[in-house]
Amino acid sequence: MTRILSGLPAAARELLGGTNWGSLRHAYGSAEDIPVSLCSLVDEDPEVRSEALAALDMGVLHQGSLYTVTAPAALFVAAILDHPISLAEHEGHFPWDDGPSRSLRAALLDWLGQVAESAAYGEDPVRARTDWLWAPWDDVARRERDPVELAALHECREIRPDLYDAVEPFLSSPDPHIREAALGAAMPLLLAPGLADRVPRAATLLRARLGAVAGRRERASMARALGVWGADISDLLADSDPAVRVCAALGPAPADRPRALAVLLDALRDPRTTDGWFPEPLPGLDGWFRFTVLRCALALAETFEEVAPVAVAIVAAEDTSFVDFERGPILLRAFAGGYDPARPLSSAQRDLLRAFVDTDEATGGIGGNTLWFRAAGLPDNREGIAALLRPCPPPHPAPMTFPA
């Protein structure tokens, strides 16, 4: 331990000595054991390093949850990114860590990216709706966070400038795995309101690499980052690679909205091909790629009618998988303000509800989406939806009156 401590950067040593770890908490209790795990990240034994990184995953950022120990641990990780041992090959600890071999530095950058994603989630309600896991009841749960959880969240948001300054040098790393992990961390970090002044420099770095990169995955990741940061991506919407075009269109408010929406809708017309572009999800994106494409298209559309043909086709497809990630969000977009019984259904709304009724027996599209139907102010059963589609009887004529 003495040898490890002597080899740590000054900032990392100061964090270890200046933090009251016993007063902090992680997922399993007191964080007094975390300093040992942090120091073990730079141990010469690869198994020890792997176990230490697993401790960060399981305790300090358990399933994306933030704790009072998360911020100081993240600052320590940021301080050791350029430690010589970080270039050693990282061995996965869990059975599912079966991806390509990479350096410990890439793994640490990935972890910082997950911290940044958790810190940014819900900060921008409009952007939150483009997350493939967003559901309307998440907003209620977010408002009901306990004070300790909120304190941990604010601490993680406050350190984002320091984290980004540590991450940025690796955007130009010669190692493609490190570049990808650095971009995955930089993307959510630069969504912070206080880091807007760093976006132009980061965008310039990415633009300088775009012309020299031939791989689809890296070019698509850079296009997505530029779009999410609000940079001008009009040229990328016309890129020869459809995956790059779609990733450029994933930004929340591109300047060329109609063209970006058209790019997204084209990708949703052939979802199998779209899902096949990235067998390994891009940094910051989990689940099938089409889920993110759909959420972004729904958020980008100014009216449901703009996306209705593609949306109805998705609901009408006899696919029983992923009900909540496709049919539910489509339904909520069609009834964005909630169903109003006093207003007649639009043609697009009727087509959508008819698709739900016609395919419900095969897909469970209504029964599996009860929370979404309730959120939209609609009946949550097939009979109730079918009743809405029945034609209204003509009004009775007023009785004739005759003068006396």
Side-chain angles (χ1 to χ4, degrees), residues 15 21 30 43 53 78 93 100 106 117 131 147 156 159 164 194-195 207 273 284 310 321 338 372-373:
L15 272 165
W21 300 97
S30 171
D43 195 281
L53 189 58
H93 179 78
E117 289 279 359
D131 187 283
C156 287
I159 66 170
Y164 178 74
L195 289 178
R207 281 291 186 179
T273 297
V310 171
S321 303
W372 290 94
F373 275 86

Side-chain angles (χ1 to χ4, degrees), residues 164-331:
Y164 178 74
D165 289 343
V167 166
E168 187 190 70
F170 301 106
L171 291 173
S172 303
S173 170
D175 184 324
H177 295 301
I178 291 177
R179 288 199 306 272
E180 175 173 302
L183 182 57
M187 198 179 311
L189 286 170
L190 289 186
L191 293 178
L195 289 178
D197 61 324
R198 287 163 165 88
V199 169
R201 174 180 166 83
T204 299
L205 286 173
L206 297 195
R207 281 291 186 179
R209 289 203 56 82
L210 260 175
V213 173
R216 160 179 279 179
R217 183 178 180 85
E218 187 167 6
R219 293 187 73 247
S221 293
M222 289 190 286
R224 174 174 170 249
L226 291 168
V228 167
W229 292 338
D232 181 7
I233 41 81
S234 55
D235 60 319
L236 297 176
L237 291 175
D239 195 88
S240 59
D241 189 329
V244 174
R245 295 198 299 269
V246 169
C247 283
L250 294 179
D256 193 344
R257 190 196 69 83
R259 187 153 59 124
L261 181 58
V263 166
L264 297 176
L265 294 178
D266 281 345
L268 292 171
R269 291 187 179 95
D270 188 4
R272 291 185 181 276
T273 297
T274 300
D275 283 338
W277 287 338
F278 308 111
E280 179 72 17
L282 296 178
L285 297 180
D286 294 314
W288 291 107
F289 186 53
R290 72 177 185 270
F291 297 162
T292 295
V293 177
L294 173 62
R295 295 295 183 107
C296 290
L298 295 177
L300 195 57
E302 292 182 347
T303 66
F304 178 66
E305 281 68 19
E306 286 186 300
V307 296
V310 171
V312 172
I314 291 173
V315 172
E318 294 194 1
D319 180 0
T320 59
S321 303
F322 313 119
V323 170
D324 277 346
F325 304 139
E326 294 180 297
R327 292 181 175 87
I330 287 172
L331 181 76

Side-chain angles (χ1 to χ4, degrees), residues 142-155:
R142 193 178 301 112
R143 290 193 294 270
E144 296 175 351
R145 284 172 169 161
D146 66 71
V148 174
E149 183 182 355
L150 281 174
L153 173 64
H154 291 314
E155 288 167 6

Side-chain angles (χ1 to χ4, degrees), residues 15-17 19-25 30-32 34-35 38 69 72-73:
L15 272 165
L16 285 177
T19 303
N20 183 359
W21 300 97
S23 69
L24 305 177
R25 309 286 292 180
S30 171
E32 59 186 356
I34 292 301
L38 294 176
V69 75

